[in-house]
């Protein structure tokens, strides 16, 4: 696996937690779960059903690179197989589940040169979608093609920190988008357009989860 992150960093953030038999296509319309791991060792598991989200469990966890131990109402131990930075298998005593960064198969998307140029020039062409508000949301970034179905460019999650700081983990699915373009997508499409230019955001750190590249910027509301 390409990731060289420290162990808490590797599991950090939001994942879909699904059984092996879960159908990826159309999965958002089915009952499913999301696990959110914090770097302080705590976790929250959400149950999502019929368009509603509720907390199903809270607790703490440890991860040593081979085993993930989740301590909530019960203690569950999983052997971890990291197939890629965006898809892991959790082998339990009775069943295997998957942690995935988005409800898509593990295949990269290739964009045409024209599409890459379009997104680079006008980052607002990458539209943000979300099923819920608040923390621990898995956001989707889509690109509308002419007379074709929208393409899923990737997903991201947001961590809220003190003093107006945000840490955003991006899971790229489309290949060829440069880090500076991802930053402009977050600034223009997410902060400005989707969130409506929030005045409580000061510093944003982006982490591209496929390469571990990080970049920070000061966010200023454009009037």
């Amino acid at each position: 696996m390409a990731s060289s992150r420290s162990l808490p960093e590797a599991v950090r953030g939001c994942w879909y937690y699904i059984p092996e038999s879960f159908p990826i296509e159309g999965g958002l319309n089915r009952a499913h779960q999301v696990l959110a791991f914090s770097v302080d060792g705590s976790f929250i598991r959400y149950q999502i059903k019929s368009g509603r989200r509720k907390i199903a469990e809270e607790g703490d966890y440890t991860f040593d690179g081979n085993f993930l131990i989740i301590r909530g109402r019960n203690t569950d131990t999983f052997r971890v197989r990291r197939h890629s930075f965006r898809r892991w298998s959790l082998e339990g005593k009775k069943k295997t589940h998957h942690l995935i960064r988005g409800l898509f198969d593990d295949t990269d998307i290739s964009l045409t040169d024209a599409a890459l140029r379009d997104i680079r020039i006008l980052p607002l062409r990458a539209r943000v979608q979300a099923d819920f508000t608040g923390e621990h949301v898995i956001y989707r970034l889509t690109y509308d093609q002419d007379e074709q179905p929208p393409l899923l460019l990737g997903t991201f999650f947001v961590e809220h920190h003190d003093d107006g700081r945000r840490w955003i983990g991006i899971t790229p699915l489309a290949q060829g988008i440069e880090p500076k373009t991802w930053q402009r997508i977050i600034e223009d499409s997410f902060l400005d357009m989707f969130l409506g230019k929030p005045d409580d955001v000061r510093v944003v750190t982006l982490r591209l989860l496929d390469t571990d590249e990080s970049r920070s910027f000061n966010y200023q509301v454009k009037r």
Side-chain angles (χ1 to χ4, degrees):
M1 180 174 167
S3 176
S4 60
R5 283 169 290 170
S6 61
L7 300 178
E9 287 285 338
V11 74
R12 179 182 192 174
C14 299
W15 303 78
Y16 291 100
Y17 175 62
I18 61 173
E20 280 192 300
S21 60
F22 188 83
I24 296 297
E25 186 174 350
L28 288 172
N29 299 320
R30 297 172 177 264
H32 57 278
Q33 299 180 77
V34 167
L35 272 169
F37 295 100
S38 298
V39 289
D40 64 3
S42 63
F43 83 91
I44 299 178
R45 179 170 61 86
Y46 293 91
Q47 179 72 42
I48 300 171
K49 186 177 181 180
S50 301
R52 300 191 178 192
R53 183 178 76 159
K54 67 176 183 179
I55 294 176
E57 187 178 28
E58 297 182 76
D60 60 80
Y61 74 93
T62 53
F63 176 55
D64 66 3
N66 295 309
F67 292 94
L68 175 66
I69 302 174
I70 298 176
R71 307 176 191 87
R73 291 196 300 266
N74 301 303
T75 297
D76 295 310
T77 300
F78 301 97
R79 177 180 288 277
V80 177
R81 310 287 187 189
R82 293 194 274 177
H83 306 291
S84 69
F85 76 96
R86 59 196 181 206
R87 187 180 185 88
W88 296 11
S89 292
L90 304 183
E91 299 175 357
K93 291 182 178 179
K94 296 181 179 179
K95 296 181 179 179
T96 295
H97 284 72
H98 296 296
L99 289 180
I100 56 177
R101 292 292 191 182
L103 291 179
F104 46 72
D105 61 26
D106 207 21
T107 303
D108 293 332
I109 289 176
S110 296
L111 295 173
T112 64
D113 291 341
L116 288 171
R117 184 173 59 254
D118 188 27
I119 295 169
R120 183 176 66 251
I121 295 173
L122 189 62
L124 281 171
R125 289 295 302 272
R127 295 191 301 111
V128 178
Q129 298 177 340
D131 300 310
F132 303 98
T133 59
E135 295 189 61
H136 305 140
V137 174
I138 298 178
Y139 297 91
R140 303 182 297 278
L141 286 166
T142 62
Y143 172 70
D144 288 333
Q145 308 178 91
D146 294 334
E147 300 180 357
Q148 295 185 54
L151 283 177
L152 180 63
L153 302 178
T155 64
F156 66 95
F157 61 87
V158 181
E159 290 181 359
H160 295 241
H161 297 282
D162 294 335
D163 301 323
R165 296 179 179 271
R166 300 292 185 270
W167 194 99
I168 299 178
I170 300 175
T171 298
L173 185 59
Q175 300 302 294
I177 299 178
E178 299 177 346
K180 62 183 179 181
T181 302
W182 285 116
Q183 176 178 326
R184 291 191 60 206
I185 289 171
I186 293 299
E187 287 186 271
D188 296 355
S189 295
F190 180 58
L191 295 172
D192 286 356
M193 181 64 68
F194 188 82
L195 294 185
K197 300 181 178 181
D199 57 10
D200 62 342
V201 178
R202 299 288 180 267
V203 179
V204 179
T205 297
L206 304 181
R207 173 70 62 82
L208 295 176
L209 301 181
D210 57 340
T211 63
D212 294 340
E213 179 171 345
S214 292
R215 55 195 298 132
S216 296
F217 63 91
N218 294 319
Y219 176 67
Q220 294 182 336
V221 175
K222 307 178 187 70
R223 300 299 183 185

